[in-house]
């Protein structure tokens, strides 16, 4: 049964007692082309094209499309040597017809030669420890001996070494991308199908890289179930702290699906970790066109105050006190001001609670009395105008403050 707490006398806490900043975990900076992941740089947005890299024109167009809408690093997949070689032409064409774009290539299992080829053309190579040296699982197996475990460990080292050396000598990066769904059998037997198995899998690869003086690493521990993903990243941070490692983390929820639930699931996983200060780059994986992923990434970052890429709108949910059609006015205000990146604008239904709940917005549009609204600059009421002139007068106020930008000059 739920019990009620005795109400306490409310205490007004002064502003300096609150710390509303997200304290990001300190990580080393890792360069991927002209973008830096970690090292206190803004959280980087990534996505992946679906095109076959043998389709050069299609791939160049898809990479460009993503980059133009804010995807800062674009991933491609290279299942064969032909696909890896095609990246040389893709990179060249991008530079010719557009501009260089930081590229990451996913390398599939047992693909050392492919990895070595693609490492020449991209800025980062992503490997999956569970598949890099692929051992077919044995259905009849009941245990995994230490000897067998180490034997495969040696094979991993031998296979990884040339790639690590190549990336190290070119000053490029590697993502050690563990996936819960593809943990190696030896990890499953040793640590179970657990976040611990995921973390140990990443650490094994990190140790090999470090033994070769290669530290341009980014780590991911994705899972399709949010609680598993959260536990894996948190454990990874704990283990890295214990080991004195400061590698940046790439966050994502795999197979998040599509639509509203796919977005909510991704936000639950990625947003929770970011709020804890964990994460240096993100990808929202939706079963939709990759272009749809970018606005979700930016919305998560904006909501947490980690990046400001659009106007922050504060609007009350409306209630019996609302003095105008809030949904419609919010839409009008948004349409008129959405290009003013950096501003916070509030639209509040009434004067009773509106001004106090505007969350320190730069400007406020507040219902004053039937047919009239009040315009605010910060906490100060500037003027009362008829509802019909509300949006126009809001724009005039922003203009008078010298904070207006002509929409046609944005993005050109
Ligand atoms: S600000 Fe006013 S209109 Fe909006 S929800 Fe609060 S009380 Fe209702």
């Amino acid at each position: 049964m739920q019990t009620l707490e005795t109400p306490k006398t409310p205490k007004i806490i002064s502003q300096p007692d609150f710390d509303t900043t997200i304290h990001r975990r300190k990580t080393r900076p890792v360069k991927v082309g002209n973008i830096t992941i970690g090292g206190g740089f803004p959280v980087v947005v990534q996505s992946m094209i679906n095109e076959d890299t043998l389709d050069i024109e299609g791939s160049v167009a898809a990479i460009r499309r993503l980059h133009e809408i804010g995807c800062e690093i674009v991933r491609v997949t290279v299942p064969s040597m032909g696909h890896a070689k095609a990246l040389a032409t893709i990179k060249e064409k991008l530079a010719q017809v557009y501009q260089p774009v930081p590229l990451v290539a996913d390398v599939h299992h047992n693909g050392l030669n492919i990895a070595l080829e693609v490492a020449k053309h991209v800025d980062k190579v992503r490997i999956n420890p569970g598949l890099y040296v692929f051992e077919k699982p044995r259905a009849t197996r009941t245990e995994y001996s230490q000897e067998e475990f180490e034997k495969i460990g040696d094979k991993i080292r031998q296979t990884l070494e040339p790639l690590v050396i190549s990336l190290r000598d070119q000053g490029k990066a590697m993502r050690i991308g563990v996936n819960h769904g593809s943990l190696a059998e030896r990890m499953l037997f040793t640590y179970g199908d657990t976040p611990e198995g995921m973390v140990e899998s990443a650490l094994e690869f990190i140790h090999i890289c470090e033994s070769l003086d290669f530290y341009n690493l980014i780590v991911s521990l994705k899972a399709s179930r949010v609680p598993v993903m959260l536990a894996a990243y948190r454990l990874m941070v704990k283990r890295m702290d214990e080991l004195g490692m400061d590698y940046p983390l790439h966050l994502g929820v795999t197979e998040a699906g599509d639509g509203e639930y796919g977005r909510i699931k991704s936000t639950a996983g990625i947003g929770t970790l970011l709020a804890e200060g964990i994460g240096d780059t993100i990808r929202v994986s939706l079963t939709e066109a990759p272009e749809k992923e970018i606005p979700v990434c930016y919305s998560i970052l904006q909501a947490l105050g980690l990046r400001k890429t659009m106007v922050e709108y504060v609007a009350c949910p409306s209630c019996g006190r609302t003095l105008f059609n809030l949904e419609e006015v919010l839409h009008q205000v948004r349409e008129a001001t959405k290009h003013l990146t950096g501003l916070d604008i509030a639209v509040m239904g009434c004067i009773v609670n509106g001004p106090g709940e505007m969350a320190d917005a730069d400007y406020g549009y507040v219902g004053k009395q039937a047919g009239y609204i009040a315009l605010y600059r910060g906490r100060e009421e500037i003027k009362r105008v008829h509802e019909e002139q509300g949006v126009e007068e809001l724009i005039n106020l922003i203009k008078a403050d010298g904070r207006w930008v002509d929409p046609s000059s944005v993005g050109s």
Side-chain angles (χ1 to χ4, degrees), residues 316-329 347-355 365-374 376 384-388:
C316 77
S318 83
C319 72
R321 285 198 172 117
T322 311
L323 290 165
F324 54 85
N325 185 334
L326 214 138
E327 210 176 322
E328 196 184 303
V329 170
V347 180
M348 309 297 280
C350 78
I351 201 83
V352 184
N353 291 331
Y365 180 118
V366 182
K368 178 88 176 174
Q369 64 191 75
Y372 286 88
I373 57 109
Y376 280 70
R384 193 183 75 148
V385 297
H386 196 272
E387 197 185 317
E388 281 174 13

Side-chain angles (χ1 to χ4, degrees), residues 29 52 73 149 162 212 214 234 267 274 280 289 345 348 371:
D52 186 320
I73 299 179
F149 190 93
L212 295 162
F214 181 56
R234 287 174 180 147
T267 306
L274 287 173
D280 303 276
I345 299 175
M348 309 297 280

